Amino acid sequence: QVRMGLALNPFNFWTLSADLDITENSTQVPGYKSRMASVGTEINVFNRKWLNIPLRLGLSKNLAQSNSKTAYSAGFGINLLHFVFDVGGSISTETESFADDAGEIQEVPANASVGAQLAFLF
């Protein structure tokens, strides 16, 4: 896998980023390839060494699959003194169908994720 990216800081509180898989990559699913392209932004609300609240938004898409839909991501953090707490998640616009116990067809996102981190920096 080969990937490249770029990040720009138009202002000291704002970051814009983009990255792309240069190669098309095999996955554990037979016949399913991956070549991700992503863009995102982060705005730092207080932007101080001792206090910051970063807010993040992003988009990603698998270019290797012609029917791939865009996925949205968002997150935020709280950086207080040396403690860092981050939460982020993503959800795809692609849906899957299934029948519930009553036999009604339900649509749910094909992919969703959430993550959290608590850290102490020294």
Side-chain angles (χ1 to χ4, degrees), residues 32 69 71 90-97 107-113:
Y32 188 82
K69 304 280 195 239
S90 69
I91 191 164
S92 68
T93 56
E94 192 170 6
T95 60
E96 296 287 335
S97 301
E107 294 279 328
V108 296
N111 189 340
S113 66

Side-chain angles (χ1 to χ4, degrees), residues 49-119:
K49 283 188 175 187
W50 63 275
L51 176 64
N52 187 28
I53 297 179
L55 304 174
R56 303 177 190 99
L57 293 173
L59 301 169
S60 63
K61 182 171 174 58
N62 184 357
L63 301 177
Q65 299 295 128
S66 61
N67 61 347
S68 171
K69 304 280 195 239
T70 301
Y72 301 101
S73 61
F76 74 94
I78 298 172
N79 305 349
L80 181 60
L81 299 173
H82 292 282
F83 291 95
V84 175
F85 176 69
D86 275 308
V87 176
S90 69
I91 191 164
S92 68
T93 56
E94 192 170 6
T95 60
E96 296 287 335
S97 301
F98 72 95
D100 63 14
D101 292 339
E104 294 183 32
I105 301 298
Q106 302 291 326
E107 294 279 328
V108 296
N111 189 340
S113 66
V114 67
Q117 166 184 288
L118 177 62

Side-chain angles (χ1 to χ4, degrees), residues 11-25:
F11 302 101
N12 67 348
F13 64 90
W14 184 25
T15 303
L16 297 168
S17 64
D19 55 82
L20 172 69
D21 284 338
I22 302 302
T23 58
E24 190 172 273
N25 306 295

